[in-house]
Amino acid sequence: MDKKFMKEALKLAEIRKGLTHPNPTVGAVIIKDGKIIGKGFHEKAGKPHAEREAIKDALSKGYDITGSIMYVTLEPCCHYGRTPPCTEAIIDNRISKVVIATLDPNPQVAGKGVEILRNHGIKVITGVLEEEARKLNEDFFVFITEKRPFIHLKIAQSIDGKIATKTGSSKWITGEDARKYVHKLRKEATAVMVGTGTVLSDNPQLTVRHIETEKQPKRVIIDRDLKIPINYKVFDKNADTVIFTSKNADKEKIKQLEKKENIKVIQIPLKEGRFDLMDILEELYRLEIVHLFVEGGKDLITQFISEKLFDKISLFIAPKIIGEDGLSAFGKLGVENIKDTLELTIKNIKRFKEDIMLELYH
């Protein structure tokens, strides 16, 4: 029964995946006499948490929640932040038992919420469908524990590992269904990152368009020499844009870009002719970018992989053969012996009509 009701709470949390950053996505249900009497999810940062929404839902329907059981996908908070602590609401409403999928990695909580509830005579069970709950908030866990964005690389390639022909032609390697799924992944991210070459060759919008969304991820552009023309789509008003450039970049062009309210220019030093990814990630962490979706190009993807600085890869593979003279998905990694290759774990395989996607973890 615990798993059954926790699955309902996880479904609620899934509804807001990617829309609550920098907060985690959380769902909660309240049970009494074996049936669900209240449901809630955290809508977005600054709004009430899932536990309070579930309590409000049950009370609005006229239920007496004294002695009820709450199922929640993440440990209830016990500190004052943008909203008051959920432990207080649980105690005040005399809920008798709380079943939690996973503890909160935030040091302000991290077991303290469970301790407070137990000290008030509330029975607490933890670890119900914990793996599923941690997967749902995998980005939040990395953001809190490693103090950097969760790094999610996306690659679309032919079956022989090419992302374009020798002339640079790449539209479209994958089919419509796979491309639509990429927009779902964008929606779940806080920011989408690309390098200069990708923008200059494709002039992409980098927005969520093929599915409904109430927010757009930030666009993060790596442009060392500010080569991208100001009239390109990444600088339009459809989403906020953060552009990383060098200390030597054209000051007049920086002024022009910064006249636009939705554009932020960050200058960072070069190290041996290129940016240190950690310098960029530190800036993005300060901007509360929880989930960074890196869409290319080849050099940027290769740099993340060569530095083993990524958490997940979504690899889309089309049943097409381009040949040796095509553009490879990856650059040189300096691997000389097969035992030195970077080994990944396949956690999931999805099919989109003719294409497949491998969900890979480092």
Side-chain angles (χ1 to χ4, degrees):
M1 291 298 286
D2 281 350
K3 287 183 179 179
K4 173 189 171 184
F5 291 127
M6 189 61 78
K7 281 180 182 177
E8 291 301 315
L10 285 165
K11 284 179 188 175
L12 290 166
E14 178 74 32
I15 293 169
R16 302 301 294 173
K17 186 170 173 60
L19 302 174
T20 60
H21 297 157
N23 291 355
T25 184
V26 183
V29 296
I30 298 173
I31 311 300
K32 195 165 186 181
D33 299 326
K35 71 173 186 177
I36 296 174
I37 60 170
K39 295 181 179 182
F41 54 72
H42 180 43
E43 185 182 344
K44 62 181 179 180
K47 294 279 190 173
H49 290 182
E51 299 93 325
R52 288 182 176 272
E53 289 289 359
I55 290 168
K56 178 184 173 183
D57 182 46
L59 294 176
S60 71
K61 294 172 182 173
Y63 288 108
D64 175 10
I65 63 174
T66 302
S68 62
I69 304 170
M70 175 179 283
Y71 288 80
V72 61
T73 58
L74 188 70
E75 179 182 9
C77 66
C78 54
H79 64 287
Y80 281 88
R82 289 170 175 161
T83 57
C86 292
T87 49
E88 282 187 6
I90 292 168
I91 293 162
D92 292 345
N93 284 279
R94 301 190 297 282
I95 291 169
S96 64
K97 179 179 173 182
V98 178
V99 182
I100 300 166
T102 184
L103 298 183
D104 191 333
N106 188 335
Q108 292 180 295
V109 188
K112 298 184 186 76
V114 169
E115 184 181 358
I116 288 168
L117 293 175
R118 283 177 174 157
N119 288 342
H120 282 80
I122 296 170
K123 185 177 180 182
V124 179
I125 295 174
T126 63
V128 176
L129 299 184
E130 181 172 10
E131 187 177 341
E132 291 90 332
R134 289 179 69 91
K135 176 74 165 62
L136 188 64
N137 277 309
E138 59 187 354
D139 46 14
F140 174 75
F141 275 74
V142 167
F143 183 74
I144 293 295
T145 59
E146 300 192 26
K147 299 191 184 306
R148 65 162 173 82
F150 177 84
I151 301 164
H152 182 180
L153 310 181
K154 171 251 168 180
I155 301 156
Q157 64 172 49
S158 62
I159 203 165
D160 58 337
K162 305 300 178 183
I163 58 173
T165 67
K166 64 180 180 180
T167 63
S169 173
S170 62
K171 290 187 177 179
W172 297 101
I173 285 180
T174 53
E176 186 178 343
D177 285 10
R179 297 200 303 274
K180 186 176 180 180
Y181 189 76
V182 170
H183 285 256
K184 177 182 181 292
L185 297 181
R186 284 182 185 174
K187 179 181 177 179
E188 293 175 359
T190 327
V192 177
M193 174 187 276
V194 294
T196 314
T198 299
V199 178
L200 291 176
S201 63
D202 297 342
N203 191 14
Q205 295 180 61
L206 300 180
T207 53
V208 179
R209 298 183 303 282
H210 300 306
I211 59 172
E212 284 187 19
T213 187
E214 60 199 59
K215 66 100 184 172
Q216 290 292 347
K218 289 183 187 295
R219 299 176 287 209
V220 178
I221 314 297
I222 311 299
D223 189 359
R224 185 186 67 182
D225 302 312
L226 283 187
K227 289 181 179 178
I228 300 167
I230 289 178
N231 63 349
Y232 266 43
K233 293 173 185 175
V234 291
F235 298 134
D236 64 24
K237 293 182 178 179
N238 293 325
D240 291 342
T241 298
V242 179
I243 183 162
F244 285 93
T245 192
S246 71
K247 300 282 188 180
N248 304 321
D250 186 323
K251 291 180 174 56
E252 284 304 312
K253 192 166 183 181
I254 290 173
K255 285 180 183 177
Q256 282 183 283
L257 287 167
E258 289 184 328
K259 283 180 183 177
K260 298 188 177 188
E261 291 181 1
N262 64 317
I263 296 176
K264 182 179 182 66
V265 180
I266 299 176
Q267 291 179 276
I268 55 175
L270 293 171
K271 296 175 182 176
E272 297 181 4
R274 69 178 185 176
F275 295 127
D276 184 325
L277 289 178
M278 284 309 302
D279 288 343
I280 291 171
L281 294 175
E282 284 172 12
E283 293 287 348
L284 294 178
Y285 176 76
R286 279 192 280 271
L287 292 173
E288 295 188 320
I289 303 300
V290 175
H291 187 139
L292 182 65
F293 189 51
V294 185
E295 293 204 45
K298 169 183 152 182
D299 292 342
L300 188 59
I301 294 284
T302 302
Q303 187 177 355
F304 274 105
I305 288 174
S306 66
E307 296 184 23
K308 297 179 182 176
L309 197 53
F310 66 94
D311 301 287
K312 176 179 178 179
I313 300 176
S314 290
L315 178 64
F316 294 83
I317 303 172
K320 298 173 182 176
I321 298 173
I322 292 175
E324 184 182 356
D325 53 351
L327 181 65
S328 294
F330 308 102
K332 293 179 181 178
L333 293 171
V335 179
E336 295 184 0
N337 194 303
I338 196 68
K339 68 180 178 61
D340 298 323
T341 56
L342 179 61
E343 293 190 20
L344 305 174
T345 301
I346 300 174
K347 286 289 183 76
N348 196 12
I349 301 173
K350 288 183 179 288
R351 177 152 187 184
F352 305 96
K353 290 184 180 175
E354 65 271 31
D355 307 314
I356 63 168
M357 185 200 79
L358 303 182
E359 197 174 75
L360 304 156
Y361 284 79
H362 182 196

